[in-house]
Amino acid sequence: MSALLPPSQRNWFKQPIDKMEWLWIGLAFVWGMILFFMMIYWHINGKQNLSNETYKSTREMYSAKAEKWVAENTVRKETEREIPVVKAKPGEDVYLIARLWEWWPIVEMEKGQTYRVHLYSMDYNHGFSLQPTNINIQVVPGYEHVVKMTPNQAGTFAIVCNEFCGIGHHSMLGRIYVK
Amino acid sequence: MAQDDNTAQGDNDIPLMQKILDNHFLLLFLGVTIPAVLYTVWGIVDIMSIPLAK
Amino acid sequence: MSETTYRICPRSGMQFDTKAEKLMRWNAVAGVLALLVGGIMALGVILTRWPSVKLLDAETFYLVLTAHGVDMLLVWIIFFEMAVLYFTSSTLLRCRLATPGWAWVQFWLMAIGAVIGNVAILSGNSSVMFTSYAPMQASHWFYLGIILFAVGALIGCFVFMGTLVVAQRDKTYEGSIPLVTFGALTACIIAIFTLLQGAAILVPTWLWSLGVVKEIDALAYRMMWWGLGHSSQQINVAAHVAVWYLIAGVVLGAKPLSEKVSRMAYFMYILFLQLASAHHLLSDPGMSSEWKVLNTSYFMYFAVMASMIHGFTVPGAIEAAQRKKGFTNGMFEWLRKAPWGNPVFSGMFISLVSFGFIGGITGVVLGTEQLNMLMHNTFYVPGHFHATVVSGTTLAFMSLTYLLIPILFKREIAFPKMAQAQPFVFGGSMAVLTVVMMGAGTLGVSRRHWDMAFSGAPFQYEWPGAAYLMMGMTGFFGVLACIGGAMFLIVTVGSLLIGKKLDDGQISATCTPHPKGSVSDRATAHGDAEHVAVPGTVALAMLLLATFVLYYFVNWKYLSEVWGLS
Ligand SMILES: [Cu+2]
């Protein structure tokens, strides 16, 4: 009966380890190293890495920049809220504002071009969830995050806020057109 | 925290690693310091070194 | 130090310090009460996210979701863990509990903190979610409640550490503490880091809510808060792995394949498990990639390796024990003929498999720096952590409760048939639920979101039809899981109220050693199992690894197809 056990060994550390157990430990170790170096490999060779370019900023500083850019590049207005649709220039800056409860303005981009997209929240934490592509980035108030984005498909994309930001959270939706 | 005095014979053969695993307060020290340095302190350094926007 | 007495349980041979045993009972009951409140909230959450039901209005939904998070992730689990800490120290080491007076301070601080926190949430001005990200502000009572709760828990951890010292000084055990107690020590160490980290951020936040501190930096808050929010779930991992070892030992007489391997795996937890708090900041601005990579990987995945080791040695120990009993036919007779009718065992084994195959694999994928962008803040995240914290921890704790009802509460289990079915209903529906939640998340559906139809938005976005299907299934299996949870509550509360009383056993004034061959001996003896080949476990482990590799690289493939980001 297994209930009647041999006396405990004081020095358990020198007990030999079974072959199969060693094998599993070895596999687990090797797999862990693959997991680790895969992230580093992707930093070197992958095309999807989250930018580290971040600045501390203030509401006033950021909205001045963003509003100037919107005023200079608006091509039309949409919806009954008259949201400006701004044509972004390839290779240049795009300024997006997250606030209760909208992603502002609407942006037009071109497929295959790269843009420096600035993300900034005016109040609480918000989420930048690009759908249906499904890229999700946290937007933290006080921090201006510059992410270089290269759309690889044409179409209409939604920016869903996926960080809880109060009672109107579910109506916080933005839009990007890619031509 | 030495606990070598609590068991009679054979304790001299006990490998160092087993002694470390039996030293609960050493484990506590390691388990609090390592994440405090790698996660918390390094994290604060990262946040403090973010430049101001132009 | 006031004197205490010791009760020897006639059913298990376990010795309970009379003062400690009362504390275990009160902490466990408080935890189960929180589970009841959190479970009612769960029903509200699930019935609102079920698109064709959509029960609650937005305001109530966010309130209920906040309460669900706090009551389940903190109150239920940490109360129960306090009972586990006292059990694994004073009972398994057969000694008195250090400073029972302080242990009562632990209990009351946590109880008062939990009540204050709940009242603050239910009164409607603290619907800030469990995470309460500044600068969104809750009522100052909300922060105070959590601070009191955390301080109480911290005291409980020190009572546990003190009890280890008492046992060592009184020589109630020889050599090393039992593996199960070592696992509890791991949980306790992680808890101490967690609670210190929590105090470091919640105290300033509380002062901010009172107007004393002017500003809380939003990013620093997230970084510090996750040291509490994520590490507290790592306490659970260490604790429920200890519960697996305990139940395997008690029910089947299983001994670890190798003490050294199991303890070294716990040692990796002690050193690195807490680092995974970074999982929540992988898609944040401002944290460097070096910090993200090193922390998210638990320092080069050593804690993942440790989990894979536990995932091998626990079933391996069970297989070895079963084979020694003569269940040697084929690869899996040991598993087929396991005591599936005993909810203590079935719950534990379902917890093990769900945690490994669903919670573990998805956790690593979610915690990979770049892959995180595919899932951050989507419904995938709660899908993943319900597989770890609910299927893994909660189900393991439910199994332990079934074990403790006769031993600690001295009652026969009421409604044994319901108890037998409960792990299958709860574990089964939870397994499907977590998978469909993650399916919806893979399609982009947001977590913490009242209306996936975006009512009131200036324009529309239509989710793929499959997302609605997954959310419908989430609703259905979520309700089923709530029923499974209710069955647990009915069995537990029923047993405590109307279960047949069992005799107390002898009371003595001094500590006694473990009776040879008793349940308590099986739970604490150390030394390796005699060598028995465990081919079934090897096969299961290889299946796990193959699933893991496949799923991991499928996600890299998805990532390579999205917009370029740099
Ligand atoms: Cu928002």
Side-chain angles (χ1 to χ4, degrees), chain A residues 9 12-13 15 18 21 24 39 43 47-49 52 54 132 134 136 138 143 148 150 152 163 169, chain C residues 176 217 222 283 286 289 308 313 369-370 373-374 376-377 442 448 527-528 531 559 561-562 564-566:
Chain A
Q9 302 124 331
W12 43 264
F13 207 82
Q15 296 294 310
D18 178 65
E21 211 175 356
W24 181 248
M39 290 192 284
H43 270 287
K47 300 232 176 329
Q48 292 82 11
N49 285 291
N52 281 331
T54 304
N134 207 10
N136 304 276
Q138 184 78 25
Y143 293 88
K148 284 199 211 100
T150 315
N152 61 358
E163 181 59 78
H169 170 46
Chain C
S176 310
D217 182 88
R222 285 174 57 81
S283 298
S289 288
M308 287 170 77
T313 62
E369 192 204 358
Q370 295 94 339
M373 284 187 290
L374 295 174
H376 175 71
N377 268 354
T442 304
R448 298 172 163 178
D528 306 347
H531 176 75
L559 183 72
E561 289 163 357
V562 304
L565 297 164
S566 59

Side-chain angles (χ1 to χ4, degrees), chain A residues 98-101 103 125-127 161-165 169 172:
Chain A
R99 63 187 166 212
L100 303 175
W101 287 284
W103 270 106
N125 272 266
H126 291 287
C161 172
N162 68 358
E163 181 59 78
F164 172 67
C165 55
H169 170 46
M172 184 167 168

Side-chain angles (χ1 to χ4, degrees), chain C residues 76-91:
Chain C
W76 140 246
I77 282 188
I78 298 200
F79 260 123
F80 200 87
E81 270 158 2
M82 290 298 131
V84 169
L85 286 186
Y86 298 156
F87 175 80
T88 50
S89 57
S90 83
T91 300

